Amino acid sequence: MTCKLPLGKIDPSILAKLLSKYTSAGNRVLIGAGIGEDAAIIDMGHGYLVAKTDPITHVTGEIGRYAVHINANDIASMGGRPLWFLATLLMPSGSQGKDIKRIFSQISRTCAELGISYCGGHTEVTSSVNIPIVVGHMLGEVNREHLKPTSAAREGDDLVMTKSAAIEATAIIALEKAEELETSFPKRFVRKAQHYLHEPGISVVKEAMLLKNIPGVHALHDPTEGGLGTGIYEMARASGLGVEVYADRIPLTEETRLLCEYCRIDPLGAFASGSLLIAVSPTTTEKAITKLLNAGVPATRIGRMVQKRKGMRLIKGSRKLELPVFHQDELSRTFG
């Protein structure tokens, strides 16, 4: 615990000890702090309250939009509907009123798009930060029968993902390295990658809402920092299972592939918001994928959940490799 920690997520072996020692559930917290779970679940008698907090510390140009989507995703990934949003804004010295207004406007507009009430928070200027930081707090509700925690995957379930890998990372690279990229790629290419925030988009609320009523859809998970590989690991670990992932089935767009190659990073380990992981009974897989496709959401079966003793494997042709897990996101390593 005395070693210097790298930028990004805390290593699960360290975090697990901290959560075990210092957090407590109480008699009404059904799902509390745990590796891989997207939000806390609190029993309110008539139903469950879903609670989540997540900070945004990058992509300052659209930080308000990011803050809403990232937190809403985690509510939806538990099978819940995001309803109430609060935000803590920490602004650096020298900030102007127009800077705060821009972020407030982004939050308000994005909440309106998702039917969420922007109902509170805190704002201050502080010398403790050198860029704007937004810490989001999202609350939502879920019926007992619709709860889809990360830890509910079952042995034999198919593993399905929506859209493609590293959507969020693609947008971040294109936004943060715009000038540099335009010396190597056409401007149209860079602009398209920057627009990944909106299309295909980093929200998974739509697909989660489509799936929550389908019997046989057991677990949902929103892979974020650490990428798709880490998200898959989190689902398997939380569920006490192993997993087999077929590398050649993982969708990867041309923009993502080229930008990850340019930055020399693995797309499986880069910010993955925009894709939803789904553990679903094989008898229900086709129904779930068809429903998503009919709603305009691409979905692909990329693996299956197996017994824990079989481990976590990435299958490339005839080779079975260890599933790569990125405790430090590839972009945190690159930009840090």
Side-chain angles (χ1 to χ4, degrees):
M1 296 292 284
T2 59
C3 61
K4 184 178 180 180
L5 299 174
L7 294 174
K9 278 190 172 183
I10 305 300
D11 186 297
S13 63
I14 296 174
L15 183 59
K17 293 176 182 178
L18 295 172
L19 296 179
S20 175
K21 183 174 182 179
Y22 295 109
T23 66
S24 60
N27 57 12
R28 291 176 57 190
V29 178
L30 301 184
I31 297 177
I35 304 296
E37 289 293 7
D38 289 307
I41 302 294
I42 303 167
D43 190 348
M44 302 302 290
H46 60 282
Y48 297 150
L49 178 70
V50 193
K52 176 64 181 182
T53 181
D54 232 338
I56 304 300
T57 57
H58 55 78
V59 194
T60 54
E62 297 208 59
I63 192 169
R65 183 176 182 85
Y66 256 85
V68 176
H69 279 307
I70 296 304
N71 283 277
N73 283 352
D74 284 335
I75 300 296
S77 296
M78 299 296 281
R81 179 174 294 281
L83 292 170
W84 304 284
F85 186 69
L86 299 89
T88 295
L89 274 64
L90 302 178
M91 303 296 293
S93 299
S95 294
Q96 300 181 24
K98 65 180 182 180
D99 301 321
I100 298 175
K101 179 181 178 181
R102 174 176 53 84
I103 297 174
F104 265 72
S105 176
Q106 290 173 1
I107 293 173
S108 178
R109 186 167 59 251
T110 309
C111 282
E113 291 170 1
L114 294 174
I116 294 167
S117 172
Y118 179 21
C119 58
H122 172 82
T123 304
E124 69 174 83
V125 176
T126 172
S127 60
S128 296
V129 301
N130 53 25
I131 61 171
I133 303 293
V134 177
V135 183
H137 312 268
M138 187 75 75
L139 299 173
E141 294 179 328
V142 61
N143 296 330
R144 289 174 172 80
E145 62 270 22
H146 294 157
L147 184 62
K148 309 287 184 184
T150 305
S151 56
R154 303 178 186 179
E155 180 186 341
D157 277 353
D158 282 337
L159 180 63
V160 173
M161 67 173 284
T162 62
K163 301 175 187 169
S164 58
I167 291 171
E168 182 182 7
T170 303
I172 293 173
I173 294 170
L175 289 164
E176 297 291 327
K177 292 180 173 285
E179 287 189 26
E180 177 184 334
L181 291 173
E182 287 179 4
T183 65
S184 301
F185 298 96
K187 285 187 177 181
R188 180 181 297 179
F189 173 92
V190 177
R191 297 294 178 271
K192 182 177 180 181
Q194 290 174 335
H195 197 62
Y196 267 38
L197 174 62
H198 304 275
E199 181 60 45
I202 60 168
S203 175
V204 299
V205 173
K206 177 180 178 179
E207 46 259 56
M209 294 297 99
L210 287 169
L211 294 171
K212 71 176 187 177
N213 296 326
I214 300 179
V217 173
H218 298 139
L220 305 174
H221 187 41
D222 168 38
T224 52
E225 189 173 353
L228 188 70
T230 304
I232 294 170
Y233 161 84
E234 290 171 343
M235 176 176 273
R237 173 177 170 152
S239 300
L241 297 170
V243 65
E244 292 181 349
V245 182
Y246 312 116
D248 61 348
R249 295 187 186 180
I250 297 174
L252 195 67
T253 68
E254 187 73 354
E255 291 78 22
T256 299
R257 182 182 66 80
L258 290 174
L259 290 181
C260 287
E261 287 178 358
Y262 178 85
C263 293
R264 298 180 181 179
I265 64 174
D266 188 334
L268 290 185
F271 287 98
S273 294
S275 180
L276 183 67
L277 290 172
I278 307 151
V280 54
S281 169
T283 59
T284 308
T285 301
E286 185 176 347
K287 177 181 179 180
I289 290 177
T290 298
K291 186 165 187 176
L292 291 168
L293 292 176
N294 287 342
V297 180
T300 308
R301 177 181 174 270
I302 62 167
R304 66 189 184 103
M305 311 306 293
V306 298
Q307 293 177 349
K308 183 177 181 179
R309 64 179 178 80
K310 293 185 177 181
M312 302 187 195
R313 297 285 183 262
L314 180 68
I315 300 173
K316 289 187 173 183
S318 60
R319 296 183 298 160
K320 287 189 175 182
L321 311 174
E322 287 288 329
L323 177 72
V325 180
F326 302 82
H327 302 314
Q328 182 183 31
D329 191 277
E330 289 281 81
L331 286 193
S332 296
R333 177 179 61 79
T334 301
F335 291 159

